[in-house]
Amino acid sequence: MMEEVQEVRSALSVHGHDIKVTDVLRDGDALTFVIVSQKLSGTGEYHVDRTYDDFEWLQQHLFSQEDVPGIQGVIFPPIPAKPQVNASAKVLKQLGFLGLGEWQPYCKALETFLRQVASHSMLEKNKAVEIFLTSTDPPGRQRARKNIFNRLSQAVEEKRKEGHKDVDEFFQAARDQNLNLTGHSKNAAERFLDVVLTEQKIAVACGHFSAALHLCVEAGEDPDKQAFSRICVKLSEVFESMKKNMTSTAANDVSTLGLGLDLESRYQEAEKEMLFRRTCKLVELETARRNAEKAKPVKKTAMEEVKKAAETEFDQICGVAKQEIARFEGVRVEILQQALVQWCEQQLLTAKESADQFNQYLQAFRGMA
Amino acid sequence: MAASSDRSPPPFSSAAEQPEEAAPADMADGDSDEGEDIFVNNTNPVAVSRGVSQPERVSEEPPDLFTEEEEAGNTNTKSNGVHSDDDNDLFADAHVELNTDKSGSSDRKELSSSSSSSSGPLPSSSFTQNPALVQPSSLEQLEEEEAKDSFDLDVAVTNPEKVGDGMNAYVAYKVSTRTSLAMFRNKTFSVRRRFSDFLGLYEKLSVKQSHHGCIIPPPPEKSVVGMTKVKVGMDDPSSVEFVERRRAALERYLQRIVSHPSLLQDPDVREFLEREELPRAVNTQALSGAGFLKMINKASEAVNKMTIKMNESDTWFEDRFQEVENEEQQLRKLQAVVDSLVNHRKELCGNTAVFAKSMAMLGNSEDNTALSRALSQLAEVEDKMEQLHQEQAASDFFIFAELLGDYIRLLGAVRGCFDQRTRAWQRWQEAQSTLQKKRESEAKLLWANKPEKLQQAKEEIADWEARVTQYERDFDRIGMTVRKEVLRFEKEKAKDFKSQIIRYLEAMVQSQQRLIKFWEAFLPEAKAIA
């Protein structure tokens, strides 16, 4: 068990862009993820086992970097929701695409999280990242110090600040746009999930049809009966092939566009949280200014101090936030582009294979006696 | 006489070789008859009424029934699934059967003579086709055409139209026939028939002694729910689908009837096809509710309740009957799976449409221009895919589900034939046992010495002896008919399934090609996002 991590910052010793989550091990209800990262100097890899709790530990440490100026302006790469073996319907719905398959999409999402963290200039230097990726021992299980913005945006009493009018046009526009995109991207991800689930159902039905056709095969030497049996067998093959294609299509959907939309949706939420933090700071600042103004001479200096501190913090946050927003735009467009291109390429491949197969079957049937 | 000039099909080459070009002409709405070949437009009601017509889809269907027959190797199929690519062989068989059929009628003799006389002049005169095509390039082709000539009839059911208003409204269909057979007054003609007329035809055919043992194709099911919707209005999608489904089913029903050599000879069939006004069919109650199969099963029960069981010297009938029952069960299972497949595809349509909208909204909100454009393009691609899924669902349904439904009912009809044979046997046995009783009572009368009663008894014995002979002959005849029918059924079934599957695969290949085009068009858009 590691001691509580000191807030020491140092460079990351691995390549951030090709961290891989190569495997997921299931032990009863517990899931362990195998993470492989490449050493920066020389050859060699780090292999570590981590559970979801370890990921949360990492995230907590990233959140609680109070000494980093403007840290609240960072758009923190989003971590997926907690996975559950034999998940309930509610959990599955929450996980969306990440709950499909044998956890491969989930692993991909964790991988993306780590890559995003490791390539973020303000986050990667946190020692916790280094420990997480390279230490053979599991990182500390104890909770980091209670940080100032854990679940902040969920706090009900804070919610009313969300609509607080901004003083800066740029940020007001950013907030409006973010609100729009958060809603739309979440909706798109959910609708696409519906499509994928239906595709899976169709694949299953094709499989059933294929199996049922085998029951129609009859023994016997009657040439017409044999002809019919051959037809049933061939048709069974056709539907088995259709099942494979549909399964392939659904899998492609998930691993490309599905993950892309899921990430976009969660990242927009992360931006929303950052903007909300800034808005809260704005409210705090405005309150501090009013207090300083109204303060009686006794309290005046103290209030001015508070006001100054708030101003500095707010400016720092705004500075970081602006950078982050620009960075985020670049990152998300790149992610979406990749997702769309890969999706299209894979679907094109599947469609071509399908067309070939159907053609072959068509010729086979035409040639049948 | 034949007013075939307005019915000339489009030139062969455009119809078969370049389907794309023929398509726009074929897209004319079914209501107008001007210069339009209804056999070409067989496929249109499917496309037009369902609102998902694509020129490509129409064109893939072979437009003209007759044109297929010219190409021996062409295995394109008609829209309604009754095989037509081997009509050639079928007619050859029928040709033979006609000559050996004992129960002749003047019509039959006419036909035989017409068939033999047709071996002389070229068939081109009786077809309204592009003359360029009909030049036989080989003796083989000429012989093929002759065989087709002597027994050629094609029927189509089109143009459903609502007649009347409110709850008394009904749908009238146009039944068009094109034939070279001499027993018809004209070469091409059409009449209007309503659903109960089709049922009435079945009623008439099924009660005739001469058709006992024959597998009479069953008509489509009645549907109170479906018809009520149609009576209210024919425009909503589910009514449109219902009417199209019924139209296609009626067409297959008639096509199966006319391709049956004995049934085609039946005067009721001829009347159905030809006569302007048909008296209203009234005895169709038996076919209501669960309809045809229920009727068959009821009759089966009655047969099974009879105390005398058949001793089969030949296990052929028992074996076949068992196979038929098994097959019916298997087809039912298949049908259930297909139904679920069709539902899922429809669900996919809906989901795809909703997803497309969500992407459109996302694209609209997007600031980055290239991304915005790509997302909007994606929304359009998904819209096109929705249509594709829609057609896929239709294909699954109209091809497989209906095919399976037809054969489940046909197998019921096959069972019906077996039952008829059993009843014939029972009648014979009962006659034998009555004869035996008469002989016994004659013996008693001899003993009792009552001359007048004795005379009567002797007459009765003679009568019953004749009956026994007759019933035995009937039984043998039915047995032979059933055998022949079952063999023919197996052949037809294999052909039918094969041609439907080919049709299905052709549609699948087409839709995959379109899918490929969508993706290929989208890829550069996706790559262009910077």
Side-chain angles (χ1 to χ4, degrees):
Chain A
M1 226 25 154
M2 295 290 298
E3 288 168 15
E4 196 174 292
V5 175
Q6 307 302 316
E7 298 304 316
V8 172
R9 300 172 65 72
S10 61
L12 196 57
S13 71
V14 299
H15 287 285
H17 64 274
D18 60 2
I19 299 171
K20 288 189 181 50
V21 176
T22 57
D23 218 344
V24 52
L25 310 164
R26 218 185 108 168
D27 183 13
D29 278 348
L31 288 170
T32 312
F33 302 94
V34 175
I35 303 166
V36 176
S37 33
Q38 307 297 318
K39 290 185 180 169
L40 265 181
S41 54
T43 54
E45 302 178 330
Y46 286 105
H47 283 241
V48 294
D49 297 335
R50 297 287 179 256
T51 63
Y52 186 77
D53 287 343
D54 297 329
F55 279 87
E56 278 190 324
W57 171 92
L58 172 60
Q59 209 183 29
Q60 294 300 341
H61 275 278
L62 296 176
F63 283 166
S64 58
Q65 299 177 93
E66 285 169 344
D67 57 326
V68 176
I71 188 77
Q72 292 192 52
V74 169
I75 300 174
F76 288 88
I79 193 174
K82 186 167 178 139
Q84 211 183 70
V85 175
N86 300 322
S88 65
K90 186 167 162 226
V91 170
L92 276 179
K93 191 165 190 295
Q94 191 190 28
L95 286 172
F97 283 102
L98 306 185
L100 294 179
E102 298 292 321
W103 301 111
Q104 298 108 336
Y106 195 86
C107 289
K108 265 270 172 279
L110 288 178
E111 197 177 275
T112 307
F113 166 70
L114 291 174
R115 288 185 186 186
Q116 287 292 312
V117 168
S119 53
H120 193 299
S121 52
M122 286 175 78
L123 300 177
E124 53 135 353
K125 296 194 185 65
N126 188 303
K127 197 90 168 107
V129 183
E130 176 76 18
I131 293 169
F132 183 91
L133 290 172
T134 64
S135 161
T136 35
D137 293 325
R141 294 268 194 258
Q142 74 272 41
R143 291 245 163 271
R145 279 196 312 281
K146 193 168 189 299
N147 61 69
I148 38 182
F149 44 87
N150 195 11
R151 298 272 181 269
L152 195 57
S153 50
Q154 263 73 48
V156 169
E157 64 270 18
E158 305 286 357
K159 266 290 188 190
R160 57 188 166 79
K161 291 182 189 164
E162 215 171 43
H164 187 90
K165 198 154 187 305
D166 214 300
V167 296
D168 185 328
E169 245 177 57
F170 171 80
F171 280 103
Q172 185 63 57
R175 283 160 67 188
D176 293 337
Q177 175 68 337
N178 169 265
L179 192 62
N180 235 350
L181 285 181
T182 316
H184 290 321
S185 60
K186 183 156 192 265
N187 187 37
E190 286 175 350
R191 302 290 71 82
F192 194 52
L193 182 61
D194 289 338
V195 168
V196 169
L197 292 175
T198 312
E199 285 172 343
Q200 290 178 336
K201 283 188 213 163
I202 290 175
V204 169
C206 286
H208 285 162
F209 194 55
S210 174
L213 278 166
H214 272 293
L215 298 175
C216 294
V217 173
E218 291 169 30
E221 281 138 26
D222 183 300
D224 293 313
K225 279 213 184 301
Q226 283 184 342
F228 188 68
S229 293
R230 276 198 297 273
I231 287 170
C232 287
V233 169
K234 225 21 172 177
L235 189 61
S236 172
E237 283 173 33
V238 171
F239 272 87
E240 185 61 32
S241 162
M242 278 170 66
K243 172 188 164 187
K244 289 206 180 83
N245 286 331
M246 224 3 142
T247 308
S248 193
T249 303
N252 289 344
D253 282 344
V254 172
S255 66
T256 58
L257 188 58
L259 282 181
L261 287 174
D262 167 81
L263 181 63
E264 165 75 3
S265 163
R266 287 186 295 117
Y267 233 137
Q268 291 288 347
E269 283 287 340
E271 189 191 31
K272 183 172 162 192
E273 301 207 347
M274 180 281 276
L275 290 169
F276 182 64
R277 289 195 292 271
R278 180 189 156 278
T279 307
C280 290
K281 251 315 173 223
L282 175 61
V283 171
E284 197 184 299
L285 174 58
E286 287 175 347
T287 312
R289 282 194 180 133
R290 276 200 302 276
N291 288 346
E293 254 181 60
K294 289 189 279 188
K296 302 216 167 70
V298 180
K299 289 273 176 95
K300 195 90 179 185
T301 0
M303 288 296 109
E304 283 290 326
E305 294 278 293
V306 170
K307 185 187 96 175
K308 274 254 156 49
E311 269 172 3
T312 319
E313 225 184 321
F314 184 70
D315 287 339
Q316 281 170 343
I317 290 175
C318 287
V320 169
K322 270 212 168 94
Q323 278 175 5
E324 285 287 285
I325 287 170
R327 178 181 178 275
F328 175 55
E329 258 319 288
V331 165
R332 65 176 283 269
V333 169
E334 193 191 316
I335 286 173
L336 280 175
Q337 194 228 18
Q338 244 183 41
L340 287 169
V341 169
Q342 280 176 354
W343 181 57
C344 186
E345 283 173 345
Q346 284 182 13
Q347 297 301 21
L348 190 51
L349 198 60
T350 309
K352 283 183 174 159
E353 281 172 7
S354 252
D356 273 341
Q357 280 167 355
F358 285 134
N359 243 319
Q360 277 177 27
Y361 284 123
L362 183 56
Q363 298 318 316
F365 269 101
R366 283 191 176 143
M368 267 175 136
Chain B
M1 260 331 281
S4 34
S5 46
D6 18 307
R7 292 205 172 276
S8 37
F12 183 71
S13 56
S14 72
E17 264 90 275
Q18 284 105 43
E20 246 86 34
E21 282 149 30
D26 296 346
M27 291 296 283
D29 192 85
D31 285 325
S32 113
D33 277 11
E34 302 302 308
E36 164 195 296
D37 188 336
I38 39 89
F39 296 104
V40 177
N41 283 323
N42 256 355
T43 63
N44 268 351
V46 179
V48 172
S49 59
R50 299 196 78 248
V52 292
S53 52
Q54 297 273 339
E56 298 105 312
R57 177 150 180 80
V58 172
S59 66
E60 106 209 9
E61 306 282 9
D64 188 351
L65 199 59
F66 286 169
T67 62
E68 291 163 22
E69 295 168 357
E70 295 298 312
E71 298 183 317
N74 188 340
T75 50
N76 274 335
T77 57
K78 285 166 61 155
S79 60
N80 287 306
V82 176
H83 68 281
S84 52
D85 52 344
D86 286 324
D87 285 342
N88 189 13
D89 298 339
L90 180 61
F91 292 149
D93 287 346
H95 198 62
V96 170
E97 276 170 356
L98 274 175
N99 292 332
T100 59
D101 198 323
K102 293 172 231 161
S103 40
S105 72
S106 57
D107 296 322
R108 290 223 180 82
K109 295 206 188 95
E110 242 183 286
L111 179 67
S112 307
S113 59
S114 74
S115 60
S116 53
S117 69
S118 69
S119 53
L122 269 184
S124 54
S125 52
S126 45
F127 285 88
T128 52
Q129 288 211 18
N130 187 338
L133 277 169
V134 189
Q135 311 302 324
S137 53
S138 67
L139 187 60
E140 202 180 21
Q141 204 173 343
L142 175 57
E143 282 171 347
E144 271 175 16
E145 287 169 11
E146 281 175 5
K148 277 177 270 171
D149 257 0
S150 55
F151 204 23
D152 202 4
L153 184 142
D154 291 294
V155 65
V157 175
T158 55
N159 303 60
E161 266 169 17
K162 188 165 148 195
V163 176
D165 269 316
M167 278 305 150
N168 289 324
Y170 63 90
V171 177
Y173 302 86
K174 182 167 155 194
V175 175
S176 311
T177 312
R178 182 151 62 171
T179 179
S180 57
L181 293 173
M183 67 182 177
F184 290 95
R185 286 193 295 267
N186 298 328
K187 296 260 180 285
T188 56
F189 46 92
S190 71
V191 292
R192 293 204 77 76
R193 295 284 179 255
R194 54 185 293 185
F195 184 67
S196 54
D197 294 333
F198 290 81
L199 296 184
L201 176 61
Y202 177 80
E203 279 291 317
K204 290 187 196 136
L205 292 175
S206 59
V207 299
K208 285 189 186 164
Q209 182 73 4
S210 54
H211 294 315
H212 273 193
C214 280
I215 302 172
I216 303 177
E221 302 285 349
K222 276 192 184 182
S223 166
V224 176
V225 174
M227 272 320 288
T228 311
K229 270 195 261 185
V230 169
K231 285 181 206 219
V232 169
M234 260 176 79
D235 296 323
D236 62 290
S238 68
S239 284
V240 166
E241 192 177 295
F242 173 77
V243 170
E244 171 50 28
R245 186 179 169 189
R246 175 163 277 193
R247 182 209 63 79
L250 289 173
E251 194 173 81
R252 291 194 304 274
Y253 165 63
L254 280 187
Q255 284 167 347
R256 287 190 175 110
I257 288 181
V258 301
S259 60
H260 191 299
S262 330
L263 294 179
L264 180 57
Q265 298 307 310
D266 190 301
D268 282 322
V269 171
R270 208 179 328 137
E271 189 183 68
F272 181 89
L273 294 174
E274 251 187 346
R275 189 166 156 182
E276 273 301 311
E277 296 281 328
L278 214 54
R280 204 49 219 280
V282 289
N283 290 333
T284 61
Q285 290 88 334
L287 291 164
S288 63
F292 177 75
L293 283 173
K294 209 171 176 182
M295 188 177 75
I296 293 280
N297 291 340
K298 248 176 157 172
S300 250
E301 275 173 35
V303 164
N304 288 335
K305 283 207 187 94
M306 302 257 187
T307 48
I308 322 168
K309 289 285 174 213
M310 269 185 92
N311 287 340
E312 294 277 11
S313 49
D314 177 7
T315 53
W316 189 94
F317 288 95
E318 257 172 30
D319 292 344
R320 281 311 223 245
F321 189 73
Q322 193 55 54
E323 283 171 6
V324 166
E325 282 192 323
N326 290 346
E327 191 164 8
E328 207 175 318
Q329 289 320 306
Q330 282 148 10
L331 291 188
R332 279 182 196 283
K333 282 195 200 117
L334 286 176
Q335 197 183 41
V337 178
V338 169
D339 281 345
S340 123
L341 180 60
V342 170
N343 283 338
H344 290 321
R345 286 219 201 266
K346 287 189 174 163
E347 201 187 317
L348 185 58
C349 277
N351 289 345
T352 309
V354 173
F355 173 59
K357 282 202 185 67
S358 76
M359 287 312 269
M361 290 202 299
L362 193 57
N364 282 341
S365 311
E366 187 53 58
D367 278 338
N368 182 308
T369 353
L371 185 55
S372 171
R373 191 172 56 239
L375 292 174
S376 304
Q377 284 279 78
L378 176 56
E380 278 177 35
V381 168
E382 287 294 315
D383 265 332
K384 289 187 190 142
M385 290 193 30
E386 187 224 337
Q387 245 196 32
L388 212 66
H389 294 316
Q390 179 98 291
E391 285 167 26
Q392 187 72 64
S395 198
D396 287 346
F397 180 73
F398 277 106
I399 296 181
F400 282 120
E402 292 289 89
L403 177 67
L404 290 169
D406 280 358
Y407 272 88
I408 289 169
R409 300 217 313 295
L410 275 165
L411 285 170
V414 175
R415 275 192 290 124
C417 298
F418 279 84
D419 288 340
Q420 282 174 338
R421 176 176 170 270
T422 308
R423 265 183 269 127
W425 183 84
Q426 284 164 348
R427 198 154 62 128
W428 174 34
Q429 295 303 306
E430 279 162 12
Q432 278 186 320
S433 113
T434 309
L435 177 61
Q436 183 64 16
K437 289 201 191 83
K438 297 285 175 195
R439 286 202 172 119
E440 283 165 11
S441 60
E442 185 205 28
K444 285 201 195 107
L445 287 172
L446 268 171
W447 195 247
N449 196 19
K450 292 194 176 139
E452 326 80 39
K453 288 226 172 101
L454 196 60
Q455 183 57 28
Q456 187 188 5
K458 280 203 196 301
E459 280 166 15
E460 281 179 4
I461 286 172
D463 176 36
W464 279 94
E465 275 174 350
R467 285 198 205 197
V468 165
T469 316
Q470 181 60 49
Y471 294 162
E472 184 180 2
R473 241 186 265 141
D474 285 346
F475 171 69
D476 285 338
R477 189 173 45 85
I478 284 194
M480 285 200 305
T481 307
V482 170
R483 267 194 203 254
K484 218 170 50 176
E485 285 287 286
V486 166
L487 292 175
R488 179 177 169 270
F489 175 75
E490 291 296 333
K491 264 200 182 59
E492 298 307 296
K493 185 180 73 174
K495 271 189 248 166
D496 211 347
F497 270 72
K498 180 180 156 191
S499 73
Q500 285 300 82
I501 290 168
I502 286 172
R503 203 174 135 220
Y504 183 76
L505 286 173
E506 284 171 346
M508 292 296 282
V509 168
Q510 275 242 336
S511 74
Q512 287 299 117
Q513 298 296 351
R514 279 163 65 198
L515 195 59
I516 288 171
K517 285 207 178 71
F518 296 157
W519 290 126
E520 282 175 343
F522 179 68
L523 190 56
E525 288 290 336
K527 286 188 165 155
I529 304 168

